[in-house]
Amino acid sequence: MARKERYAVGLMSGTSVDGIDAAVIRIAGDADGSGTGTGGEDAGGQPDVQLVAFANTAFPAAVRDEIFELFDPSRATIDRVGRMNVRLGELYAEAALSVIASAGLKPEDIAVIGSHGQTIYHAPDAFIEDGRDLRFTVQIGEGAVIAARTGIPCVTDFRVADMAVGGQGAPLVPFTEYGLFREADRTLLLQNIGGIGNITVLPAGCAPEEVYAFDTGPGNMLIDGVVSRLYGGERTMDVGGAIASAGKINRQLLEILQDEAYYALPLPKSTGRELFGSVYVDELIAYRDAHGLTAEDLVATVTMLTAWSIGDAYRRYVQPSHAADVMLVGGGGSYNPSLLGFLKQEMGPMGVEVLVQEDIGQSSDAKEAVAFALLADYAIARRTNNLPSVTGAARPVVMGKISY
């Protein structure tokens, strides 16, 4: 029997630490074939999900600065992590209440909140000690605080259940992408460009076990990192791709960066700030200083690297078995015309059309917040919500810890 129509809230703050994305969605039916009779689900069990409201709330500057400090394990002391865990819980709760109000709803109208939390460390690879696998991940933003302030059950800390059964705990969004975007006759690539780039491959007419996804490499992380460093913090991103468009790609540096071992690692794989963070940016700045690159040339080069890494991932892992028709781009990088231009140059010769979420009436900004609202809806109903074929987990599990 299908559950009745309900509302859920999703909260997302990513590796770029731009702020809190908050989405309210309306869900009709379940993704198990139990539809509502409204055309919301097809024979394959696709749920009817509608975005009702979306907002982004920037982090206070002091909070953003401290989160970046916590990315450094030597500075992430227990007291600082614990206090930020609670502080983010307060900020997430405020963002949730604000977006609920903007939707014309009340907290009691919302069935569940799903909060990704702020990742401060992700170590997904097997680490065997005393015969036990001690892989781990740390997301902060206390769910108990969110639930207490809103009066709504809150699901948080999704990744650890997948990792407990041998998975990478990432990427998680492909589970919802399979439910919402798969098509019978076209192979689709869903490319998210947040701090890190990740791709989901939905082969035409695929079953869940045929979906695969992985992190392609840096998304906006290196672009944001070098812009922040080069412009003394006055700019934190290349708005509209303006800096990159004024520069020239340095082919020598690009070739060096393309030799990064991550790009050739076997699937499943995921990455993050641990590889493409501040130390990597330090090396880029040092190269720039030693070789006399302009700021614009360095930004253009790392922007091209992001586009190349996506194209390389497609050539290496996807094209041989699943030639695609369309790449649908979401995330903050979809608003960077320079990055999109480079990406079209990469994908066009391979016959892949590059579109953004807005081209199909969706929101690039809201996509991941919507995903965590839907993941929470599954968790609260005790339904599995990971894709082992994507994460490498031994079996499906119910991801998420619930604070009532």
Side-chain angles (χ1 to χ4, degrees):
M1 180 180 295
R3 286 181 287 159
K4 65 180 182 180
E5 182 177 282
R6 58 213 176 273
Y7 294 96
V9 170
L11 303 172
M12 177 70 196
S13 56
T15 49
S16 295
V17 200
D18 295 330
I20 304 167
D21 291 335
V24 179
I25 63 172
R26 180 165 52 239
I27 308 169
D30 294 320
D32 58 4
S34 54
T36 62
T38 62
E41 302 194 17
D42 64 13
Q46 288 180 276
D48 181 356
V49 174
Q50 179 184 354
L51 178 64
V52 178
F54 173 77
N56 175 273
T57 304
F59 283 121
V63 171
R64 187 174 192 269
D65 290 345
E66 186 166 359
I67 290 172
F68 273 95
E69 291 180 9
L70 297 181
F71 292 146
D72 179 354
S74 68
R75 306 180 74 177
T77 55
I78 293 173
D79 58 326
R80 296 185 72 188
V81 173
R83 192 170 296 113
M84 184 58 75
N85 180 49
V86 174
R87 188 169 190 176
L88 288 180
E90 297 281 2
L91 294 175
Y92 291 150
E94 292 167 12
L97 290 171
S98 177
V99 78
I100 291 167
S102 73
L105 300 170
K106 299 177 181 178
E108 52 265 35
D109 297 323
I110 308 299
V112 67
I113 295 172
S115 177
H116 171 271
Q118 178 63 55
T119 301
I120 59 171
Y121 203 86
H122 186 60
D125 297 324
F127 183 88
I128 307 301
E129 190 171 273
D130 298 329
R132 300 175 179 87
D133 187 349
L134 303 183
R135 69 184 74 196
F136 70 96
T137 188
V138 181
Q139 280 80 43
I140 57 175
E142 182 54 55
V145 172
I146 300 171
R149 300 294 175 265
T150 63
I152 303 167
C154 183
V155 185
T156 56
D157 213 8
F158 288 86
R159 300 186 187 279
V160 289
D162 184 86
M163 296 175 78
V165 293
Q168 293 258 313
L172 303 186
V173 173
F175 178 86
T176 61
E177 290 173 327
Y178 171 76
L180 298 176
F181 291 98
R182 70 186 187 274
E183 295 184 8
D185 302 319
R186 293 197 304 175
T187 292
L188 301 184
L189 309 173
L190 282 90
Q191 178 72 45
N192 185 69
I193 307 178
I196 292 295
N198 51 72
I199 192 170
T200 301
V201 183
L202 299 177
C206 62
E209 60 273 15
E210 296 174 294
V211 178
Y212 60 105
F214 54 95
D215 288 350
T216 51
N220 301 314
M221 186 174 290
L222 294 181
I223 302 169
D224 294 350
V226 298
V227 169
S228 295
R229 198 75 61 84
L230 291 170
Y231 293 89
E234 292 181 5
R235 303 187 193 183
T236 58
M237 64 184 71
D238 185 10
V239 178
I243 302 173
S245 67
K248 294 182 179 179
I249 297 166
N250 184 286
R251 295 292 171 181
Q252 181 179 356
L253 174 58
L254 181 63
E255 289 177 7
I256 292 171
L257 299 178
Q258 289 169 342
D259 284 336
E260 166 57 51
Y262 176 79
Y263 302 124
L265 290 179
L267 305 184
K269 62 178 181 175
S270 60
T271 188
R273 193 169 294 278
E274 296 74 32
L275 175 58
F276 294 109
S278 60
V279 173
Y280 202 106
V281 172
D282 289 342
E283 294 171 353
L284 289 170
I285 297 298
Y287 184 95
R288 180 250 184 182
D289 292 343
H291 293 80
L293 274 67
T294 67
E296 293 82 2
D297 289 351
L298 181 57
V299 175
T301 302
V302 295
T303 302
M304 182 63 211
L305 176 69
T306 290
W308 170 86
S309 67
I310 294 169
D312 177 71
Y314 174 70
R315 286 185 290 270
R316 198 185 293 263
Y317 301 107
V318 183
Q319 188 179 31
S321 56
H322 297 104
D325 301 288
V326 174
M327 172 176 282
L328 190 58
V329 182
S334 69
Y335 298 111
N336 183 330
S338 295
L339 177 53
L340 279 180
F342 289 150
L343 187 55
K344 289 176 180 179
Q345 290 174 25
E346 282 286 317
M347 304 305 298
M350 294 183 284
V352 180
E353 182 182 14
V354 176
L355 302 174
V356 296
Q357 290 279 335
E358 283 73 11
D359 290 329
I360 61 167
Q362 302 289 333
S363 167
S364 294
D365 276 339
K367 179 187 166 188
E368 290 193 299
V370 168
F372 281 93
L374 192 54
L375 288 170
D377 181 71
Y378 276 75
I380 204 77
R382 298 187 180 185
R383 302 176 64 217
T384 59
N385 55 0
N386 68 328
L387 281 178
S389 63
V390 168
T391 65
R395 64 178 187 271
V397 294
V398 179
M399 300 188 301
K401 300 175 182 177
I402 303 173
S403 300
Y404 288 99

